[in-house]
Amino acid sequence: MKAWNRTRYPFYFIVPALLVYGLFFVYPTLTGFAYSFTDWSAYSDEVHYIGLDNFRDLFSEGVLGLAVRNTLLYAVVVTVLVNAIGLLLAMMLNRSTRVTAFYRTAFYTPVVIAPLIIGYVFTAIYSPEDGPLNQALRWIGLDVLAVDWLNDSRYALFSIMMTEVWRSAGFAMVVYLAGLKTIPRDLLEAADVDGAGALRRFKNVVFPLLAPSFTINILLTVINSMKVFETVLVLTNGGPGYDTEVFNTLIFRNFSRGNWGYATASGLVLTLIISIVAIVFLRMLRKREVDL
């Protein structure tokens, strides 16, 4: 009997966490799945099952294609730039000194700042008249580059991307730094003895051994980029027009209009898209780890 109690003892600590997880994640997820097949809205007290009507309306909506395109383009560009810059920063700061510790902290700080706050800060930075960015461009004689970053359809999505890259590169840097610390110095010294330059050392030693770090960073960046919401909402609210509309702003717009069942169906579609993309990327990256 005492042995049985000792076996069950760890579950006493797990059960509260499972209850919280079930209440705040599993139950809302299952409820949302059910409501996506109904006409749930702010305009009626009754909820009726309507089958796939919400999904038919969603895929017939012209804005959906634009939102999907913007979301995927955003995810691709942000993923590439965040990982490239994060890896570059990690390679530059892969030393334990006071200076590198300061810069690591400085580059990581944006990660812990709320996206809403960052959005408001960059709204001021991108201001066409008195924003610091345009003022700096005019000061160095590049007046032609001082544009309306958030209200011009040619630059709005690009401006949001750069904001997210600035915010997220520090997280990628930390993951790559952790990966660099696991690389045995003996291998790098052996490569030096063999006459390998910096590029060959990176290609043949560092890059293959950073495969797990690449898997983590790329997967997390892709998922988070496809879920982008707060930054777009604050900076452009999907505008000008629908030029920066992404999937989550489309969902938010329909929730705001009281079309709750329709918006829930949109959220379910986004969840499926993210799940499919994440599974594909995970398999590709795991296969790369094995091949290396």
Side-chain angles (χ1 to χ4, degrees), residues 108-143:
Y108 186 76
T109 298
V111 179
V112 301
I113 301 175
L116 284 174
I117 297 175
I118 290 177
Y120 287 120
V121 170
F122 273 84
T123 299
I125 292 174
Y126 288 136
S127 176
E129 298 300 329
D130 55 356
L133 178 58
N134 280 350
Q135 285 187 353
L137 291 172
R138 294 188 185 101
W139 186 72
I140 61 177
L142 297 176
D143 299 58

Side-chain angles (χ1 to χ4, degrees), residues 161-173:
M161 291 174 182
M162 293 303 102
T163 303
E164 182 61 25
V165 170
W166 178 84
R167 190 184 77 87
S168 301
F171 180 84
M173 174 197 71

Side-chain angles (χ1 to χ4, degrees), residues 149 169-170 249 269:
W149 296 99
T249 56
V269 171

Side-chain angles (χ1 to χ4, degrees), residues 66-226:
L66 190 58
V68 172
R69 189 203 70 177
N70 289 338
T71 302
L72 294 178
L73 178 61
Y74 177 92
V76 170
V77 174
V78 168
T79 299
V80 172
L81 292 180
V82 163
N83 283 276
I85 295 173
L87 179 58
L88 179 61
L89 292 174
M91 297 289 291
M92 293 171 59
L93 301 176
N94 188 27
R95 294 181 180 179
S96 298
T97 66
R98 290 184 179 181
V99 175
T100 57
F102 168 78
Y103 281 112
R104 289 176 190 174
T105 303
F107 287 124
Y108 186 76
T109 298
V111 179
V112 301
I113 301 175
L116 284 174
I117 297 175
I118 290 177
Y120 287 120
V121 170
F122 273 84
T123 299
I125 292 174
Y126 288 136
S127 176
E129 298 300 329
D130 55 356
L133 178 58
N134 280 350
Q135 285 187 353
L137 291 172
R138 294 188 185 101
W139 186 72
I140 61 177
L142 297 176
D143 299 58
V144 67
L145 298 180
V147 298
D148 193 347
W149 296 99
L150 299 179
N151 295 309
D152 191 322
S153 59
R154 294 172 295 177
Y155 311 111
L157 188 60
F158 170 79
S159 301
I160 299 171
M161 291 174 182
M162 293 303 102
T163 303
E164 182 61 25
V165 170
W166 178 84
R167 190 184 77 87
S168 301
F171 180 84
M173 174 197 71
V174 169
V175 176
Y176 286 129
L177 275 171
L180 289 172
K181 296 299 182 184
T182 65
I183 298 176
R185 296 191 61 84
D186 295 346
L187 293 179
L188 298 175
E189 292 170 358
D192 280 334
V193 172
D194 291 340
L199 289 177
R200 286 186 60 190
R201 246 190 350 261
F202 176 79
K203 178 182 177 182
N204 297 323
V205 179
V206 176
F207 186 73
L209 294 178
L210 279 181
S213 299
F214 275 103
T215 299
I216 295 171
N217 265 333
I218 292 177
L219 196 61
L220 290 179
T221 310
V222 167
I223 293 173
N224 290 330
S225 298
M226 294 187 69

